[in-house]
Amino acid sequence: MRPWEKNIRQVVPYVPGEQPNQIGMIKLNTNENPYPPAPAVTQAWEELAAENLRLYPDPACQELTQALAEHYQVNPDEVFVGVGSDDVLAMAFLTFFNSGKPILFPDITYSFYDVWADVFRIPYECQPLDENFRIVKEDYKKPNGGVVFPNPNAPTGILQSLSEMEEIVKWNQDVIVIIDEAYIDFGGQSALELIHRYDNVLVVQTFSKSRSMAGMRIGYAFGNRQLIKYLNDVKYSFNSYTMNQPALHLGAAALKDEAYFQETCGKIIATRERVKEELAALGFTFGDSKANFLFVTHEKIAARALYEALKIKKIYVRYFNKPRIDNYLRITIGTDAEMDALLAFLKEYVKEN
């Protein structure tokens, strides 16, 4: 090791899903929405003036925070926005998890949590999900430096009830509890109401999934005014201009088209439920996902082999080479046509294997 390498902050990085760019591919590996953004977003894009790009964006992000506040019926000072929910979550880790005690999150969950903990030198303990991939609430009843978990969970898609979430919050009122709701719009009840009952809850959501805007990188959090102030204090000490002008403007526009939002979410939910039935008929098993993906396994077919076989056919799904889940595939819900192509392949593959 060279002398200067002793001072490098080394971590095992987060590994994102593959981003192939092939003609005729079916991309079901990164939980993107298969439908375009709302028509109001297209119109707002056309109205953007390139001349304004020479100016810095509003560091307070007022256009977007005001739109979010109105849409979710909270106060603007209860809203924080960032460059995707990853940025919001990372900022929350940096801001709130500094006690020296280990933070708690599930052993099977969003794989960025342990990366952020390592980057920011935050001790952590992973709490095992039960045999049905559900959170064991009692595991979060011990002393800790903070709690974070997705609901629905990723990559399992399992949803915990609001009452279960509130129990965890009640047991942990001396630390910050972060509820990551990236997939909440596909069938769950948001914990948003908890921010007005508890001053230590942060609820994080994103435009990447249900609002078809992964490419714009828009994330946001709800919490009491003091939590949001603390987040902004750290943001302004790190980078005052986190959100660019197009993201602020197009994000606000997306919230105006509620009918389209409900329509596309409804399509994904309907396709998901249909695909569940067809996969079950092929011998696949899975939890009752309330996200825009399914987490499936097959008793007789190795997940890795199936992943590789699908890849040859330019059908991309997500495989995790990790303990407890190395025989599962996470399959994003695409359009009906995309899912029909996947199912047609699986029917032949199951028959031959």
Side-chain angles (χ1 to χ4, degrees):
M1 179 180 289
R2 289 163 288 192
W4 54 264
E5 287 184 282
K6 297 177 181 178
N7 300 316
I8 300 298
R9 177 162 294 195
Q10 298 185 46
V11 295
V12 178
Y14 171 77
V15 180
E18 296 171 88
Q19 293 289 354
N21 185 18
Q22 298 179 325
I23 296 173
M25 71 175 182
I26 297 176
K27 191 168 182 287
L28 305 174
N29 66 328
T30 50
N31 297 342
E32 293 150 322
N33 196 309
Y35 302 107
V41 174
T42 302
Q43 182 178 347
W45 177 266
E46 294 171 351
E47 294 170 352
L48 280 171
E51 166 65 16
N52 289 337
L53 297 183
R54 67 181 180 81
L55 303 173
Y56 283 110
D58 173 18
C61 307
Q62 291 184 70
E63 182 180 14
L64 182 55
T65 55
Q66 184 65 43
L68 285 163
E70 291 176 2
H71 183 80
Y72 289 98
Q73 298 182 338
V74 298
N75 293 314
D77 55 5
E78 294 174 323
V79 182
F80 176 84
V81 299
V83 187
S85 59
D86 288 343
D87 179 49
V88 175
L89 288 162
M91 203 68 66
F93 272 52
L94 183 62
T95 304
F96 300 122
F97 295 156
N98 297 293
S99 72
K101 297 178 183 178
I103 63 171
L104 307 179
F105 50 81
D107 65 333
I108 301 171
T109 193
Y110 186 31
S111 51
F112 230 139
Y113 296 158
D114 58 347
V115 174
W116 288 318
D118 286 339
V119 167
F120 298 134
R121 300 298 187 255
I122 301 167
Y124 65 91
E125 292 180 4
C126 296
Q127 308 307 302
L129 299 179
D130 69 15
E131 65 277 8
N132 296 314
F133 292 150
R134 297 189 66 83
I135 287 174
V136 180
K137 303 188 302 294
E138 290 72 19
D139 288 346
Y140 297 83
K141 207 172 181 178
K142 56 188 176 183
N144 62 75
V147 175
V148 57
F149 51 83
N151 196 41
N153 197 5
T156 66
I158 301 300
L159 178 77
Q160 306 286 148
S161 69
L162 181 59
S163 62
E164 291 173 305
M165 299 298 93
E166 187 165 12
E167 279 190 67
I168 293 174
V169 173
K170 284 180 179 178
W171 293 335
N172 291 280
Q173 295 184 59
D174 58 338
V175 296
I176 302 302
V177 178
I178 301 174
I179 303 175
D180 180 358
E181 294 187 338
Y183 302 98
I184 198 65
D185 295 320
F186 299 108
Q189 181 182 2
S190 174
L192 177 59
E193 65 187 71
L194 297 185
I195 73 165
H196 292 134
R197 294 208 290 272
Y198 303 91
D199 61 6
N200 64 316
V201 176
L202 195 73
V203 176
V204 179
Q205 296 187 11
T206 178
F207 278 40
S208 295
K209 316 301 183 186
S210 56
R211 295 195 182 274
S212 307
M213 296 182 72
M216 271 280 91
R217 311 306 298 127
I218 301 171
Y220 51 104
F222 302 109
N224 79 73
R225 294 174 175 83
Q226 194 61 43
L227 288 188
I228 300 305
K229 180 186 181 301
Y230 287 139
L231 278 171
N232 277 311
D233 287 347
V234 172
K235 183 193 89 164
Y236 286 129
S237 302
F238 187 78
N239 180 1
S240 299
Y241 303 106
T242 55
M243 301 290 290
N244 62 57
Q245 285 192 16
L248 294 173
H249 187 57
L250 300 182
L255 294 166
K256 298 175 182 177
D257 208 332
E258 183 66 14
Y260 181 83
F261 167 72
Q262 294 295 340
E263 178 188 352
T264 53
C265 285
K267 285 181 181 178
I268 291 168
I269 291 168
T271 301
R272 180 189 70 201
E273 296 308 305
R274 175 178 70 86
V275 172
K276 282 180 182 179
E277 293 180 5
E278 300 209 36
L279 286 176
L282 292 173
F284 288 91
T285 58
F286 40 84
D288 185 21
S289 174
K290 296 299 181 182
N292 69 334
F293 58 83
L294 299 174
F295 195 55
V296 309
T297 188
H298 197 286
E299 184 180 5
K300 298 179 180 178
I301 296 173
R304 181 152 202 159
L306 179 53
Y307 161 76
E308 297 292 351
L310 284 163
K311 196 172 177 179
I312 291 171
K313 294 295 185 178
K314 297 183 182 180
I315 301 175
Y316 289 85
V317 298
R318 190 79 189 267
Y319 173 73
F320 298 91
N321 188 19
K322 293 183 175 183
R324 297 185 67 191
I325 60 172
D326 59 355
N327 200 38
Y328 284 79
L329 296 177
R330 192 192 69 191
I331 303 172
T332 303
I333 301 300
T335 63
D336 281 320
E338 289 172 331
M339 302 312 289
D340 287 343
L342 169 72
L343 290 165
F345 174 86
L346 292 177
K347 287 173 184 175
E348 291 301 315
Y349 192 88
V350 169
K351 187 188 302 182
E352 294 171 1
N353 291 272

